[in-house]
Structure formats: C-alpha cells, structure tokens
Amino acid sequence: MPETEEYGIRSFVYRERRPFDPMKLKDFTDRSWPGVVRTKGFFWLATRPHYVGEISQAGALIRTGKRGLWWASVPKDQWPDHPEWKAAIKPYLDPIWGDRRQEIVFIGCDPMNEAALRAELDACLVPELDFTPGRWRDLPDPFPSWEKQVA
C-alpha cells in the first residue's frame, strides 16, 4: 500500500490569476491550517505587480519573500529568444495578467479541508477582473519590503 493511502496524505494545487489583497493574505497566513503539513509555491500581491512572491510552510513555520520578477514585468525585448523557452512560457501567459498568478501546493492529511482552504484563498483575491495596478497601489500591505535596501 502506498504511503499516501496508508497515512492519508493528499495534496492539491491552488491556482488563480487575480492577485491577492495583502491584508487578506496576511490574515490567512496568520491562521492555522488544520491538517496542512507542507505548503510551497508562489503568489502575487496586488500591491507588488512586478514581483513573484514565494511561500513556504512546514509545520508551524511560514516564510514569504521575493522570488524574482514576473516575465510580464520585463520588457519583451529582454525575454529569451530560445524556441524552447517560448514554448515553455506560452501556457502561463494570459492576455490580461501575463504570467502573474497564484500557484501554491498544499500537502496534508485529515483534517485538511481543500474546499475550505480554496474558499479562504479565493476570499483573499482582489475583486477586479482586469489588470489595474494603480487601483491597488494604496492597499495596506503588512508584508516586509521586497525592494533592495541601499546603504
């Protein structure tokens, strides 16, 4: 019997195109997630349209930080010109959001409730259905700065 069946381990991937409202996501990350033992992936905060956020959780420890830039934030003349790269990025490019998205894997066992976690994360998304970074600029953002600190 596979360990996944023996121990009731299961996983799901949360995917969404709209960005997270930072305060709502912070409230989510500050709560406990019963049954979740590991989380890893990347996310997009509405207040940070250029940056990929990374989330990693193991047990009670949750870390978030800057992973890099979304390709949609890089001028197209600076994109790689390799056919393999173009083929690899194509499925992730959306006409509105570019490659910006939420993609977070949750691994856990009972009592992990996938439907409840998805609903909680959906409630963290901004309601707009188009890319309007100017409207999100002044949202409260409790996450530490991802800008380079210049001494």
Side-chain angles (χ1 to χ4, degrees):
M1 172 184 297
E3 288 181 348
T4 52
E5 286 181 31
E6 184 176 347
Y7 298 108
I9 307 272
R10 60 187 185 281
S11 67
F12 71 93
V13 181
Y14 178 80
R15 289 184 177 95
E16 178 58 58
R17 282 293 181 171
R18 290 179 292 152
F20 286 130
D21 176 308
M23 286 298 291
K24 292 178 180 178
L25 182 63
K26 182 69 171 132
D27 288 345
F28 174 81
T29 62
D30 286 348
R31 291 194 299 268
S32 66
W33 311 333
V36 176
V37 294
R38 183 82 169 98
T39 302
K40 188 158 178 60
F42 49 90
F43 64 96
W44 173 25
L45 292 175
T47 52
R48 303 174 191 205
H50 304 301
Y51 297 112
V52 178
E54 183 174 35
I55 186 167
S56 178
Q57 171 267 332
L61 179 64
I62 299 174
R63 292 184 197 188
T64 61
K66 180 177 78 170
R67 169 93 183 215
L69 293 173
W70 295 109
W71 280 107
S73 296
V74 176
K76 287 192 177 177
D77 65 351
Q78 294 179 24
W79 287 17
D81 195 25
H82 306 289
E84 299 85 15
W85 181 85
K86 289 178 180 180
I89 192 72
K90 188 176 180 178
Y92 298 104
L93 293 176
D94 180 87
I96 296 172
W97 310 106
D99 60 327
R100 297 173 185 91
R101 64 195 185 278
Q102 317 301 346
E103 194 162 313
I104 306 169
V105 177
F106 288 82
I107 302 167
C109 54
D110 285 332
M112 183 173 79
N113 183 331
E114 178 180 342
L117 288 165
R118 286 183 182 280
E120 288 181 54
L121 287 164
D122 286 348
C124 294
L125 298 167
V126 298
E128 287 85 0
L129 298 176
D130 60 347
F131 185 56
T132 53
R135 292 177 67 187
W136 307 324
R137 184 181 358 227
D138 296 325
L139 287 175
D141 186 336
F143 289 90
S145 174
W146 294 346
E147 299 292 328
K148 285 186 177 179
Q149 301 299 319
V150 180

